[in-house]
Amino acid sequence: MRILFFGDVFGRPGREALAYIVPRWKEAHRPDCIIANGENMSHGAGISERSIEALLSAGIQIITGGNHSFEGKNASALLNDSSLPLVRPANMPSDAPGRGFAYFGIKNGKAVSCEDVEDAAILVINLIGQTHMRYHYPSPFREADLILEKTIASGAREMHPPIFVDWHADVSSEKVALGWYLDGRVSAVVGTHGHTPTADARILPNGTGLISDVGMVGPHYSVIGQEITANLERFVRQVPKKVDVAPAPPYEINAVLLDIDDTTKKTTTIRHLRSILEALS
Ligand SMILES: [Fe+2]
Ligand SMILES: [Fe+2]
């Protein structure tokens, strides 16, 4: 199975860049499954019906989340709508809206969540870090154990679909540590939230593909997606300032392309893809 995963899609520039690049990279790379982190897809923070629709129309099949998943007018209702291919971080209070992991089958180019593991093409798990986050989330390490106990405890690993983890965390040590913790137990641990790509894409000894951070899809002249001048005011003069989504072009697009062996469910290649576009034409 070949997975194409885009990092945090930031506001309108991120959605525009995806609409441009997904058909082209589909053609070039022929992925079986296309996933994107959508926590910033609506106005740079949060989700909305329109932004979900924009990502699905662009060709994204599954949308993962992060600390901003709950922002947006109807975010809770959208997260609770199991007909939408959404997941949000799993290590959260049990009554938080939405779901932290889900099996998806791919039918006619669309991902449909399914109860029966035999119908599933992939298990997607979303986890959030504990370091430098606003809230004190429960342990993502223990949550991963619990999810894996529930999902692959019965039956051989070979019979189970690939397991993809969107690992939404801030600190590189914590991010790499989860990769080692899950090495051999999941197909890939792919970092999001940083918005800046890291150059450490690799396959761990037991076959788990790992990258600390994929990077974002959004405005290139920005501070991790946000407008530059207001951000400088905040950092230089330390004056609280509302910051907007930065304008684009230029756009930057960051993704990873993973090949997962159909028998072993191990990653055989992981490649970071990055494109800076002056115009979408
Ligand atoms: Fe983000
Ligand atoms: Fe985030």
Side-chain angles (χ1 to χ4, degrees):
M1 170 181 241
R2 176 168 277 192
I3 301 170
L4 175 59
F5 175 83
F6 292 90
D8 305 50
V9 178
F10 203 91
R12 179 196 293 267
R15 302 192 306 267
E16 288 173 350
L18 272 189
Y20 175 82
I21 209 72
V22 175
R24 286 163 175 81
W25 282 1
K26 259 172 91 167
E27 183 72 23
H29 302 297
R30 306 264 168 204
D32 302 299
C33 181
I34 310 177
I35 310 172
N37 182 293
E39 70 148 2
N40 306 107
M41 64 185 169
S42 179
H43 304 293
I47 67 173
S48 66
E49 217 162 328
R50 254 183 61 202
S51 57
I52 294 167
E53 185 43 48
L55 263 63
L56 298 181
S57 318
I60 301 300
Q61 294 164 321
I62 301 166
I63 302 171
T64 54
N67 49 303
H68 292 298
S69 283
F70 303 93
E71 294 162 42
K73 210 167 51 185
N74 296 320
S76 297
L78 293 166
L79 289 167
N80 281 331
D81 181 350
S82 59
S83 70
L84 294 172
L86 297 178
V87 291
R88 50 82 175 151
N91 51 316
M92 289 192 155
S94 58
D95 54 354
R99 56 195 166 165
F101 65 96
Y103 287 105
F104 292 98
I106 312 281
K107 283 194 188 107
N108 304 322
K110 290 195 161 58
V112 185
S113 62
C114 46
E115 298 297 318
D116 198 340
V117 62
E118 280 168 25
D119 299 330
I122 191 167
L123 170 63
V124 176
I125 302 173
N126 201 177
L127 295 166
I128 195 164
Q130 295 180 295
T131 314
H132 289 182
M133 287 294 183
R134 183 177 295 175
Y135 297 111
H136 301 281
Y137 301 109
S139 168
F141 296 83
R142 297 301 184 206
E143 186 67 34
D145 288 338
L146 292 173
I147 294 169
L148 295 176
E149 268 171 38
K150 276 182 223 161
T151 51
I152 57 170
S154 55
R157 179 69 204 285
E158 288 70 27
M159 304 303 289
H160 196 273
I163 305 175
F164 178 90
V165 180
D166 175 340
W167 172 214
H168 199 78
D170 202 45
V171 180
S172 51
S173 54
E174 189 185 15
K175 294 173 117 167
V176 170
L178 188 82
W180 286 110
Y181 191 64
L182 297 180
D183 182 26
R185 295 199 282 158
V186 304
S187 305
V189 174
V190 171
T192 56
H193 179 74
H195 294 204
T196 302
T198 56
D200 64 336
R202 58 180 156 160
I203 301 169
L204 297 176
N206 294 310
T208 295
L210 173 70
I211 184 168
S212 295
D213 208 292
V214 174
M216 68 169 179
V217 180
H220 186 46
Y221 290 170
S222 70
V223 176
I224 63 164
Q226 295 172 332
E227 197 266 327
I228 297 167
T229 311
N231 249 288
L232 288 181
E233 182 79 356
R234 214 161 61 161
F235 281 104
V236 177
R237 297 180 63 217
Q238 303 188 345
V239 174
K241 192 95 181 160
K242 187 182 175 299
V243 282
D244 288 326
V245 174
Y251 299 85
E252 73 172 79
I253 299 166
N254 291 287
V256 280
L257 194 63
L258 296 135
D259 282 317
I260 315 284
D261 184 276
D262 288 334
T263 307
T264 64
K265 311 299 170 0
K266 293 180 180 188
T267 289
T268 55
T269 61
I270 177 168
R271 184 150 70 96
H272 188 255
L273 306 177
R274 176 169 168 86
S275 189
I276 310 297
L277 298 175
E278 293 297 336
L280 300 180
S281 61

